[in-house]
């Protein structure tokens, strides 16, 4: 029976053609990203290695980078604890106004970050809606950084988690329920593990978005300085040669964390 | 289905360079004049833009506001080009742009530092030109100023507070308001005061008492929200935003040429090691050497220092310098409006 064999081979070749074409197209976007980042890093390493080494020994640079990583982690944790249940409800239930809620969740992605920062300031400021009752101080303090990061990055986690829960077949849950598992147990043992890759990817994107946030944070909390604020500060007060080594260090730091997290995500 | 997607992709890849070419030709035939300027010039330059565009219908002015130091750096370091540069401290042009990026500048407007507040500010009903520093000393009052490393208004605010010590004969004012709340320090040598600024990340402000932002304009919303009670700002900005303000005595407000010898006693050393000496606030404007539209840029400068531009400045609370003072090799098109400095 040679016929199907040939058909298979033809479709295989066609498939490969698509792959080759897509790889060629994909090369452009990859080249665009790599060129921009590599240019920054290589200019630094080739032209001013001493300045870079000096920066790696500057404790205030590491303070800022670790503060960024830490506050972004807190924002991600809050987004996870409160966003995952919401994502589950959105994935499983249909109700009036659901589209509106989904739109609202996406809103922080589209509004300009300075606007987000000012809006947060009016809520969490000294006389703000929440700020006036709160025991925590938000302006120029760590909680302020966290709420700004949370606001701009939570949508990434919620959307990814919702897709994850949507990809889990409800019939699997029904089987578990019919075998006597409680709703809570079903969620923990069936739904959550099956959606976990989406959840992890969402958490990584959420953290990444939080680390990169500058516009909203700088409005509500200029001090203590996170890495993007420090880079901006060094640029304004001392120029490109002072800010670039910090940028390069942040890029390398994020790259390392990203590669580790992606490897972890793949293993699961 | 696959074929269609593939076809579409290939088509879009092939046609994109062509559509790109078309795109470049379509924008309106107006000449775009780029003006980079200090944040505190936003309102007057907005008004001047309107009037200038009305007088020159073929011109589209695009303004970019930023801190004065950043405004200059965009040209000297980021490789951006502008046709006009206006800064809040004219000395930035000779120190950062001349000779490579400019060879002249014009001093065109003055300003002074005030202490702005709103009705909601604590002790708003008590404060005046004689007791403002006593009010700022109170532990429940929070005040703001911009970062001295980044922004002329920031280092000028520091000068004003130190000058207040001399004027009110109270040697603890800088200590109480700044040193106790930040890592900024004052040293006294040979009859002059040197205020030393740490790195911006090490300023370590006591955020119960002071708020610092990179640029003075970023403090406006904090005042409106009541996050700060008072902040040091240019008189013109306070007026343009409808804020109340305490006028400070001319001996300390950096607005009067008469007291320039007094201002000179204070110097501020920024984190980069650059030192600014106290002097009257004078705004500077120039056309960079690499401006794409040099003649039109000069025309814009003519407008700013001419009668109409000066009226705009005056109306918005910023006293113009009449006639404007030219420095360096300024173009002959401006000779009739400028007094040589």
């Amino acid at each position: 029976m040679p016929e199907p064999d040939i058909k298979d081979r033809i479709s295989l070749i066609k498939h490969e053609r698509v792959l080759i074409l897509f790889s060629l197209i994909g090369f452009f976007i990859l080249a665009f990203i790599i060129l921009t980042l590599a240019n920054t890093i290589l200019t630094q390493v080739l032209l001013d290695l001493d300045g870079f080494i000096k920066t790696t020994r500057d404790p205030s640079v590491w303070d800022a980078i670790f503060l960024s990583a830490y506050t972004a982690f807190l924002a991600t944790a809050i987004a996870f604890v409160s966003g995952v249940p919401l994502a589950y409800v959105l994935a499983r239930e249909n109700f009036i106004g659901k589209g509106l809620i989904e739109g609202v969740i996406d809103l922080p992605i589209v509004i300009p970050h300075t606007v987000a920062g000012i809006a947060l300031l009016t809520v969490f400021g000294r006389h703000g809606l929440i700020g006036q009752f709160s025991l925590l101080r938000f302006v120029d303090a760590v909680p302020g950084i966290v709420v700004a990061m949370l606001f701009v990055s939570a949508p990434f986690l919620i959307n990814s988690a919702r897709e994850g829960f949507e990809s889990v077949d409800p019939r699997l849950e029904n089987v578990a329920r019919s075998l006597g598992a409680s709703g809570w147990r079903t969620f923990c043992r069936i739904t959550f593990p099956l959606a976990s890759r989406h959840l992890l990817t969402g958490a990584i994107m959420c953290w990444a978005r939080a680390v990169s946030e500058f516009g909203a944070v700088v409005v509500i909390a200029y001090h203590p300085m996170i890495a993007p604020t420090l880079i901006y500060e060094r640029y304004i007060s001392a120029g490109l040669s002072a800010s670039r080594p910090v940028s390069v260090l942040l890029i390398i730091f994020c790259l390392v964390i990203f590669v580790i997290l992606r490897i972890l995500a793949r293993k699961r | 289905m696959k074929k269609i997607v593939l076809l579409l992709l290939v088509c879009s890849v092939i046609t994109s360079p062509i559509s790109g070419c078309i795109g470049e030709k379509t924008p309106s035939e107006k000449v775009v004049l780029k003006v980079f300027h200090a944040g505190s010039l936003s309102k007057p330059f907005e008004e001047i833009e309107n009037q200038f565009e009305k007088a020159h219908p073929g011109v589209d002015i695009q303004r970019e506001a930023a801190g004065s130091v950043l405004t200059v750096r965009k040209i000297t370091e980021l490789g951006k080009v502008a046709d006009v540069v206006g800064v809040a401290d004219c000395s930035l042009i000779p120190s950062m742009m001349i000779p490579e990026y400019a060879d002249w500048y014009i001093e065109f407007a003055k300003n002074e530092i005030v202490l702005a507040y709103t009705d909601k500010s604590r002790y708003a009903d008590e404060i005046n030109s004689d007791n403002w520093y006593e009010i700022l000393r109170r532990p429940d009052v929070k005040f703001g100023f911009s970062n001295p490393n980044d922004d002329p208004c920031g280092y000028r605010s520091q000068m004003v507070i130190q000058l207040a010590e001399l004027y009110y004969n109270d040697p603890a004012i800088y200590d109480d308001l700044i040193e106790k709340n930040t890592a900024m320090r004052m040293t006294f040598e040979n009859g002059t005061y040197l205020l030393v600024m740490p790195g911006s990340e090490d300023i370590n402000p006591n955020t119960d008492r002071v708020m610092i932002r990179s640029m003075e304009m970023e403090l406006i919303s904090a005042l409106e929200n009541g996050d700060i009670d008072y902040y040091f700002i240019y008189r013109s900005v306070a007026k343009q935003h409808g804020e109340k303000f305490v006028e400070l005595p001319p001996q300390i407000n950096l607005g009067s040429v008469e007291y320039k010898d007094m201002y000179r006693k204070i110097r501020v050393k920024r984190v980069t090691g650059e030192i600014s000496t106290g002097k009257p606030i004078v705004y500077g404007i120039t056309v960079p050497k690499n401006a794409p539209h040099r003649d039109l840029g000069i025309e814009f400068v003519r407008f700013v220092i001419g009668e109409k531009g000066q009226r705009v400045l005056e109306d918005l609370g910023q006293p113009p310098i009449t006639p404007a003072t030219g420095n360096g090799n300024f173009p002959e098109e401006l000779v009739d409006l400028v007094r040589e400095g």
Side-chain angles (χ1 to χ4, degrees):
Chain A
M1 293 200 293
E3 237 181 62
D5 198 35
I6 288 172
K7 262 191 180 171
D8 275 1
R9 285 185 63 181
I10 289 173
S11 79
L12 195 70
I13 290 167
K14 275 190 176 168
H15 184 63
E16 273 173 359
R17 274 197 202 143
V18 172
L19 267 184
I20 290 167
L21 181 73
F22 279 13
S23 305
L24 281 176
I25 298 170
F27 170 78
F28 286 104
I29 185 75
L30 197 62
F32 165 65
I33 296 173
I34 290 178
L35 193 71
T36 312
L37 294 179
N39 179 48
T40 306
I41 296 174
L42 288 180
T43 324
Q44 183 65 48
V45 173
L46 298 178
L47 300 182
D48 184 22
L49 190 60
D50 289 350
F52 180 68
I53 291 170
K54 222 163 135 194
T55 304
T56 60
R57 295 195 186 127
D58 182 346
S60 45
V61 170
W62 284 110
D63 283 352
I65 289 179
F66 286 137
L67 180 66
S68 279
Y70 169 67
T71 46
F73 172 76
L74 289 181
T76 308
I78 297 171
F80 196 90
V81 170
S82 57
V84 168
L86 174 65
Y88 185 72
V89 173
L90 290 174
R92 283 289 175 267
E93 297 300 322
N94 281 312
F95 48 87
I96 302 164
K98 183 178 164 183
L100 185 69
I101 290 181
E102 287 171 341
V104 168
I105 290 169
D106 286 336
L107 216 47
I109 299 175
V110 295
I111 69 167
H113 298 169
T114 314
V115 175
I118 293 169
L120 285 162
L121 193 60
T122 54
V123 174
F124 292 98
R126 193 165 70 167
H127 299 289
L129 280 176
I130 294 176
Q132 59 182 326
F133 304 113
S134 169
L135 292 175
L136 277 179
R137 228 221 0 256
F138 290 91
V139 177
D140 286 334
V142 168
I145 301 174
V146 175
V147 290
M149 287 178 166
L150 179 65
F151 185 81
V152 297
S153 63
F156 291 90
L157 197 152
I158 297 170
N159 286 335
S160 182
R162 196 190 60 210
E163 277 168 33
F165 290 134
E166 277 167 356
S167 74
V168 176
D169 192 336
R171 279 178 297 183
L172 290 174
E173 294 176 356
N174 292 340
V175 170
R177 294 297 297 276
S178 69
L179 292 173
S182 67
W184 177 244
R185 195 172 148 86
T186 306
F187 178 81
C188 293
R189 300 297 292 271
I190 306 290
T191 320
F192 191 86
L194 285 173
S196 64
R197 250 185 88 172
H198 276 96
L199 297 178
L200 187 62
T201 311
I204 292 172
M205 288 312 295
C206 180
W207 183 83
R209 184 66 198 77
V211 164
S212 69
E213 182 51 29
F214 168 68
V217 173
V218 79
V219 173
I220 191 164
Y222 181 66
H223 285 102
M225 282 193 187
I226 54 168
T229 313
L230 182 74
I231 291 168
Y232 177 72
E233 261 322 304
R234 294 249 162 128
Y235 171 61
I236 294 190
S237 61
L240 208 52
S241 60
S243 69
R244 195 175 44 214
V246 190
S247 317
V248 170
L249 201 59
L250 182 67
I251 293 170
I252 294 172
F253 179 82
C254 290
L255 185 67
V256 169
I257 294 213
F258 254 57
V259 170
I260 293 173
L261 287 174
R262 288 285 175 192
I263 290 171
L264 282 179
R266 191 151 308 155
K267 275 189 179 158
R268 299 186 62 137
Chain B
M1 183 61 198
K2 270 184 188 169
K3 272 184 190 167
I4 296 170
V5 173
L6 200 64
L7 203 67
L8 280 175
L9 265 173
V10 173
C11 283
S12 66
V13 168
I14 293 170
T15 54
S16 59
I18 304 168
S19 55
C21 285
I22 297 166
E24 273 166 36
K25 282 179 191 163
T26 37
S28 62
E29 295 122 39
K30 283 191 175 182
V31 181
V32 173
L33 190 73
K34 289 258 182 206
V35 179
F36 290 1
H37 61 81
S40 54
L41 285 172
S42 293
K43 292 257 167 155
F45 273 25
E46 187 184 348
E47 180 55 33
I48 287 171
E49 173 187 345
N50 290 339
Q51 295 191 11
F52 190 85
E53 284 176 346
K54 248 179 226 160
H56 303 77
V59 179
D60 177 26
I61 293 180
Q62 293 182 356
R63 296 180 298 109
E64 277 187 41
S68 291
V69 179
L70 181 56
T71 295
V72 175
R73 272 197 214 290
K74 280 195 226 168
I75 288 169
T76 60
E77 287 206 327
L78 284 193
K80 288 178 126 183
V81 288
D83 301 301
V84 178
V85 169
V87 289
D89 182 349
C90 65
S91 64
L92 293 174
I93 298 176
S95 71
M96 291 174 77
M97 293 181 79
I98 291 178
E100 212 177 325
Y101 293 93
D103 49 16
W104 56 272
Y105 65 98
I106 285 169
E107 303 169 8
F108 72 98
K110 294 184 283 185
N111 221 332
E112 65 184 59
I113 301 285
V114 299
L115 189 63
Y117 63 101
T118 68
D119 287 331
K120 287 186 292 181
S121 304
R122 287 195 182 133
Y123 311 112
D125 47 350
E126 280 181 48
I127 198 157
N128 59 44
S129 303
D130 299 321
N131 69 2
W132 61 271
Y133 57 97
E134 295 289 357
I135 305 266
L136 293 190
R137 270 178 171 147
R138 294 183 186 170
D140 54 344
V141 169
K142 187 169 173 181
F143 63 99
F145 48 87
S146 51
N147 188 336
N149 287 324
D150 301 353
D151 180 47
C153 190
Y155 53 74
R156 283 166 173 160
S157 306
Q158 299 301 308
M159 291 169 180
V160 166
I161 295 169
Q162 180 57 47
L163 281 166
E165 276 195 2
L166 310 184
Y167 177 73
Y168 297 103
N169 204 10
D170 179 343
I173 294 180
Y174 194 81
D175 191 44
D176 288 344
L177 299 188
I178 302 297
E179 294 196 343
K180 281 186 183 158
N181 294 316
T182 69
M184 301 172 184
R185 292 292 172 263
M186 185 270 280
T187 56
F188 181 72
E189 263 175 49
N190 310 329
T192 63
Y193 298 82
L194 183 66
L195 310 176
V196 182
M197 301 300 121
S200 302
E201 68 277 15
D202 299 322
I203 290 176
N204 198 16
N206 170 7
T207 50
D208 285 330
R209 297 278 285 112
V210 298
M211 178 186 264
I212 302 174
R213 285 294 179 270
S214 179
M215 193 173 48
E216 78 278 13
M217 307 302 275
E218 292 172 75
L219 291 163
I220 294 170
S221 58
L223 182 76
E224 284 168 4
N225 282 330
D227 270 292
I228 48 177
D229 299 298
Y230 300 92
Y231 76 121
F232 291 93
I233 187 68
Y234 297 119
R235 180 199 179 95
S236 64
V237 177
K239 204 173 161 191
Q240 288 153 18
H241 288 84
E243 294 158 356
K244 299 189 157 190
F245 55 86
V246 181
E247 285 197 49
L248 304 175
Q251 288 87 344
I252 71 170
N253 70 12
L254 302 178
S256 165
V257 182
E258 239 174 279
Y259 294 102
K260 66 174 196 281
D261 291 337
M262 177 145 175
Y263 303 159
R264 211 171 11 218
K265 289 181 186 163
I266 318 289
R267 293 179 307 150
V268 175
K269 185 178 176 189
R270 281 171 270 159
V271 60
T272 49
E274 293 160 281
I275 291 179
S276 298
T277 304
K279 56 181 168 221
I281 298 168
V282 176
Y283 282 57
I285 193 166
T286 189
V287 174
K289 275 184 174 176
N290 59 355
H293 310 101
R294 179 184 171 275
D295 292 344
L296 206 52
I298 290 171
E299 190 61 31
F300 184 85
V301 173
R302 255 190 92 78
F303 193 93
V304 172
I305 63 177
E307 203 184 318
K308 286 178 186 161
Q310 295 199 329
R311 195 173 320 130
V312 171
L313 289 164
E314 188 81 65
D315 289 347
L316 291 168
Q318 187 157 14
I321 295 176
T322 341
T325 314
N327 292 278
N329 200 5
F330 60 86
E332 54 189 68
E333 291 98 314
L334 299 173
V335 166
D336 58 319
L337 287 173
V338 167
R339 183 173 57 87
E340 200 149 348

